[in-house]
Amino acid sequence: MRIPASVSWFSAAALLALALPAAAQKTQLLVYTALETDQLKAYQEGFNKVHPDIELRWVRDSTGVVTAKLLAEKGNPQADAVMGVAASSLALLDKNGMLEPYKPLNHDAIMSQYRDKKNPPAWFGMDVWGATICFNTVEAQKKNIPKPETWKDLLKPAYKGQIVMPSPASSGTGFFDVTAWLTLWGDDNGKGGGWKYMDGLHENIAQYTHSGSKPCNMAASGEYVVGISFEYRANSNKAKGAPIDLVFPKEGLGWDLEAFAIHKGTKKLDAAKKLADWASSKDAMLLYGKNFAITAQPGVAAPLANVPKDYEARLVKMDFSTVADNRERVLAEWTKRYNSKVEKR
């Protein structure tokens, strides 16, 4: 495009911008996520193979932090979509009227227990992530600490000061652990067996972390013998050569879904729906299955080397709506009892 000499440089730039093809201008989609940082690139590349005209801009933090941020922004929402955040959190956002119901193209391929029951659904699951203990065999041998087989084993004096776990206030992993223990042994508004178990466990806890991955990383490095974490990080660390065994306690495993939802009020609804369609597709499930043993579409995930084949059968029963209803009360009670050992930010 030839520009006359009499035209100023500012006007010339404006004319050139007008001359650029419309296809060069990408739609930017702001996506809040708690996905692991080392997973984001593959998911973004997979989506952009189908929709190169949509740029994903991630806002990433731990589940509890993302959930709190979304709730704080309720009156002035920023996110267009929420991807890879716990279904229990999305159920809470839905109760607050913050999600845009949408039935994605691949909805019917998702197992009914891994999606919102409403039609159209407010959210759908991507994959299951669940509890796993990372146990450092080298350090345990040095300290003569036995390998645990159950959650209640962790109450034994041998583990005092040797356990780290995520805080449920900031970590989705920590929250589903607490939820599972209350489900297994009772809540009763702070008086049930689940709380008595956590009182005993607290005596042996060295630190509560803000990240679900960090306890396994700390166990893998030998800083502590036991890290209560989740199967993706545990399997990944062991595959890299960390001297850890993965323990799946016999009483049952806490879990949640990495899930997807469109934020109500987004001005980019068409692009958000395209992301929802892709996130529910078999292509996306194949990517999730490289990290997790259970995907929301059945029969997609290949077996993970260090995760038992009956992993799904070990998961405790979970009602995400009930969990969402109890979340604020449970976290307040947990914080009152155990906050003294939460790591400083």
Side-chain angles (χ1 to χ4, degrees), residues 43 58 110 124 159 199 231 306 338:
Y43 297 169
W58 303 100
I110 295 173
F124 61 85
Y159 298 98
D199 286 345
E231 88 284 13
N306 303 295
Y338 313 123

Side-chain angles (χ1 to χ4, degrees), residues 114 126-130 231 255-257 292 294-295 311 315:
Y114 297 147
M126 298 158 49
D127 51 72
V128 170
W129 99 98
E231 88 284 13
W255 64 284
D256 210 321
L257 287 166
F292 295 97
I294 305 167
T295 54
Y311 185 73
L315 306 177

Side-chain angles (χ1 to χ4, degrees), residues 72-152:
E73 292 174 355
K74 180 181 177 181
N76 183 28
Q78 305 296 310
D80 297 304
V82 186
M83 181 175 180
V85 173
S88 57
S89 291
L90 296 189
L92 178 61
L93 299 183
D94 187 34
K95 287 177 183 290
N96 278 270
M98 296 168 61
L99 303 182
E100 180 69 40
Y102 175 63
K103 184 176 180 179
L105 290 177
N106 306 285
H107 174 269
D108 293 342
I110 295 173
M111 288 183 277
S112 60
Q113 67 267 36
Y114 297 147
R115 66 190 191 210
D116 183 24
K117 301 296 188 289
K118 296 191 298 299
N119 187 19
W123 57 265
F124 61 85
M126 298 158 49
D127 51 72
V128 170
W129 99 98
T132 309
I133 292 173
C134 299
F135 179 72
N136 189 303
T137 55
V138 173
E139 293 302 314
Q141 188 172 18
K142 289 179 187 176
K143 296 177 171 68
N144 197 29
I145 295 175
K147 182 176 175 178
E149 294 185 359
T150 67
W151 290 119
K152 291 193 175 179

Side-chain angles (χ1 to χ4, degrees), residues 279-329:
S280 66
S281 70
K282 187 171 183 179
D283 285 345
M285 296 285 164
L286 286 168
L287 292 177
Y288 309 152
K290 291 181 179 180
N291 302 317
F292 295 97
I294 305 167
T295 54
Q297 283 190 29
V300 174
L304 295 182
N306 303 295
V307 177
K309 292 180 180 179
D310 66 343
Y311 185 73
E312 193 166 15
R314 302 185 187 206
L315 306 177
V316 301
K317 291 184 178 179
M318 188 76 72
D319 183 321
F320 294 115
S321 180
T322 301
V323 171
D325 287 340
N326 291 329
R327 180 185 178 88
E328 187 175 351
R329 175 185 61 80

Side-chain angles (χ1 to χ4, degrees), residues 81-294:
V82 186
M83 181 175 180
V85 173
S88 57
S89 291
L90 296 189
L92 178 61
L93 299 183
D94 187 34
K95 287 177 183 290
N96 278 270
M98 296 168 61
L99 303 182
E100 180 69 40
Y102 175 63
K103 184 176 180 179
L105 290 177
N106 306 285
H107 174 269
D108 293 342
I110 295 173
M111 288 183 277
S112 60
Q113 67 267 36
Y114 297 147
R115 66 190 191 210
D116 183 24
K117 301 296 188 289
K118 296 191 298 299
N119 187 19
W123 57 265
F124 61 85
M126 298 158 49
D127 51 72
V128 170
W129 99 98
T132 309
I133 292 173
C134 299
F135 179 72
N136 189 303
T137 55
V138 173
E139 293 302 314
Q141 188 172 18
K142 289 179 187 176
K143 296 177 171 68
N144 197 29
I145 295 175
K147 182 176 175 178
E149 294 185 359
T150 67
W151 290 119
K152 291 193 175 179
D153 280 346
L154 298 181
L155 303 183
K156 295 176 180 177
Y159 298 98
K160 189 170 183 65
Q162 292 297 326
I163 304 172
V164 280
M165 75 164 279
S167 161
S170 50
S171 163
T173 304
F175 185 63
F176 69 52
D177 286 325
V178 170
T179 300
W181 296 330
L182 296 177
T183 300
L184 287 167
W185 298 308
D187 182 347
D188 193 21
N189 290 315
K191 300 174 184 176
W195 293 106
K196 290 176 182 175
Y197 171 75
M198 285 184 275
D199 286 345
L201 182 65
H202 181 68
E203 293 300 311
N204 286 349
I205 291 283
Q207 187 181 73
Y208 299 102
T209 67
H210 293 297
S211 157
S213 286
K214 189 171 181 178
C216 190
N217 293 340
M218 295 171 96
S221 68
E223 193 172 347
Y224 295 98
V225 172
V226 173
I228 299 174
S229 190
F230 62 103
E231 88 284 13
Y232 165 71
R233 183 55 60 205
N235 185 68
S236 175
N237 283 351
K238 188 172 178 66
K240 292 174 185 174
I244 56 171
D245 281 351
L246 277 58
V247 178
F248 303 90
K250 293 179 179 179
E251 300 99 330
L253 306 175
W255 64 284
D256 210 321
L257 287 166
E258 290 192 323
F260 182 98
I262 297 174
H263 204 295
K264 186 178 286 294
T266 175
K267 295 179 174 62
K268 299 167 184 176
L269 185 57
D270 287 344
K273 286 180 177 180
K274 288 176 181 176
L275 180 57
D277 290 340
W278 179 83
S280 66
S281 70
K282 187 171 183 179
D283 285 345
M285 296 285 164
L286 286 168
L287 292 177
Y288 309 152
K290 291 181 179 180
N291 302 317
F292 295 97
I294 305 167

